[in-house]
């Protein structure tokens, strides 16, 4: 089954404690992306990757890191989480023939930073 | 920055009625996409319309695109309770990013 998986699905942590949210896709997609969703703000892109070892900032990259060492994985790293990073996070992937087409979304990770 | 803005923010309709929502954007685009999200779950792609297309259909969905007005509309015909969800437009503005609006929340009453 074609899917994007994220782990963990729920996470409560404390300020400053480094964490990683994993994302994996099994569709051999070139393009992967991380979004955060906050009430009234819709989805905002954090980082995206057009292929292995190619990453770039989205609209809200501050406080986040990513890496793309393998095509299927695109982990999101919060080196020193703060309460304003409490949010619902989505990973997504798509094929990328030079344009961003249909995105397949993971189920989401609800992060709470206290 | 957010490219698309949906209107209205919320919509409540009776089952069987049509639902129409609009999306406006700011810069030229390569394509515009519509997604559905059921309460807190991942988004699901509904339909994509390219900048050189004016109208597209998929089942009960009809999407229009007016590039001169930088706007798009999504029409859901003969709505069902299962259509209750939030709907988002997203634009690919030739910058390798997909920009989402804040969404329209649709409630279909039985």
């Amino acid at each position: 089954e074609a899917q994007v998986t994220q782990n963990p699905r729920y996470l409560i942590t404390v300020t400053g404690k480094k964490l990683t949210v994993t994302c994996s896709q099994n569709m051999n997609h070139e393009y992967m992306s991380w979004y955060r969703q906050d009430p009234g703000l819709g989805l905002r892109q954090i980082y995206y990757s057009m292929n292995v070892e190619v990453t770039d900032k989205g609209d809200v990259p501050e406080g986040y890191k990513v890496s793309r060492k393998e095509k299927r994985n695109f982990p999101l790293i919060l080196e020193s989480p703060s309460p304003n990073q409490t949010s619902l996070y989505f990973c997504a992937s798509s094929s990328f023939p030079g344009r961003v087409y249909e995105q397949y979304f993971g189920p989401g990770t609800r992060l709470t930073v206290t | 920055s957010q490219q698309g803005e949906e209107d209205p923010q919320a919509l409540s309709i009776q089952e069987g009625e049509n639902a129409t929502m609009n999306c406006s954007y700011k810069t030229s685009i390569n394509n515009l996409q519509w997604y559905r999200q059921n309460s807190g779950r991942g988004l699901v792609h509904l339909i994509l319309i390219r900048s050189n297309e004016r109208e597209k259909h998929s089942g009960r969905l009809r999407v229009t695109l007016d590039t001169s007005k930088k706007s798009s509309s999504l029409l859901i015909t003969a709505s069902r309770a299962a259509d209750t969800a939030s709907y988002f437009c997203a634009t690919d503005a030739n910058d390798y990013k997909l920009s989402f609006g804040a969404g329209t929340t649709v409630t279909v009453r039985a």
Side-chain angles (χ1 to χ4, degrees):
Chain A
E1 180 190 355
Q3 61 181 352
V4 178
T5 57
Q6 293 178 231
N7 282 294
R9 295 288 313 280
Y10 302 91
L11 179 59
I12 300 174
T13 189
V14 296
T15 298
K17 185 177 181 182
K18 181 179 179 180
L19 67 92
T20 299
V21 184
T22 64
C23 172
S24 183
Q25 51 95 3
N26 63 0
M27 294 168 280
N28 201 36
H29 283 161
E30 296 85 8
Y31 190 96
M32 296 186 75
S33 182
W34 277 102
Y35 300 90
R36 60 178 288 174
Q37 184 175 31
D38 302 290
L41 295 178
L43 273 79
R44 294 179 292 168
Q45 192 170 40
I46 303 170
Y47 269 96
Y48 65 96
S49 169
M50 291 186 279
N51 215 323
V52 175
E53 302 290 2
V54 181
T55 62
D56 208 347
K57 297 176 181 178
D59 296 318
V60 288
E62 295 78 20
Y64 305 94
K65 282 177 58 176
V66 294
S67 67
R68 187 92 180 273
K69 293 181 169 47
E70 304 167 285
K71 198 171 187 179
R72 64 182 294 125
N73 296 323
F74 191 44
L76 179 69
I77 303 157
L78 285 72
E79 295 265 359
S80 182
S82 62
N84 64 13
Q85 293 178 298
T86 292
S87 189
L88 180 58
Y89 291 86
F90 290 102
C91 179
S93 74
S94 66
S95 59
F96 183 66
R99 292 285 178 258
V100 185
Y101 287 137
E102 174 186 355
Q103 299 255 289
Y104 291 79
F105 280 79
T109 295
R110 191 168 291 279
L111 172 65
T112 302
V113 183
T114 61
Chain B
S1 60
Q2 279 182 289
Q3 162 85 298
E5 289 186 12
E6 290 92 344
D7 172 62
Q9 287 187 319
L11 183 59
S12 180
I13 56 173
Q14 202 75 30
E15 206 165 19
E17 293 180 338
N18 296 341
T20 300
M21 60 210 85
N22 304 296
C23 170
S24 59
Y25 57 92
K26 297 171 186 171
T27 63
S28 63
I29 59 171
N30 174 62
N31 68 69
L32 186 144
Q33 305 173 33
W34 285 92
Y35 289 80
R36 183 187 72 230
Q37 182 183 36
N38 292 95
S39 190
R41 298 191 175 186
L43 280 71
V44 174
H45 183 267
L46 295 176
I47 197 165
L48 179 152
I49 186 165
R50 291 181 169 81
S51 60
N52 61 354
E53 298 176 312
R54 292 296 166 258
E55 188 171 314
K56 207 161 181 182
H57 297 255
S58 176
R60 294 183 295 112
L61 305 179
R62 173 179 169 252
V63 169
T64 62
L65 179 65
D66 187 334
T67 53
S68 66
K69 294 181 179 178
K70 292 186 172 59
S71 68
S72 173
S73 68
L74 172 67
L75 167 69
I76 305 172
T77 60
S79 61
R80 306 166 181 169
D83 295 327
T84 293
S86 292
Y87 293 81
F88 296 87
C89 68
T91 52
D92 168 19
N94 299 309
D95 57 358
Y96 310 120
K97 297 189 289 186
L98 205 58
S99 296
F100 286 80
T104 293
T105 300
V106 175
T107 303
V108 181
R109 306 186 307 272

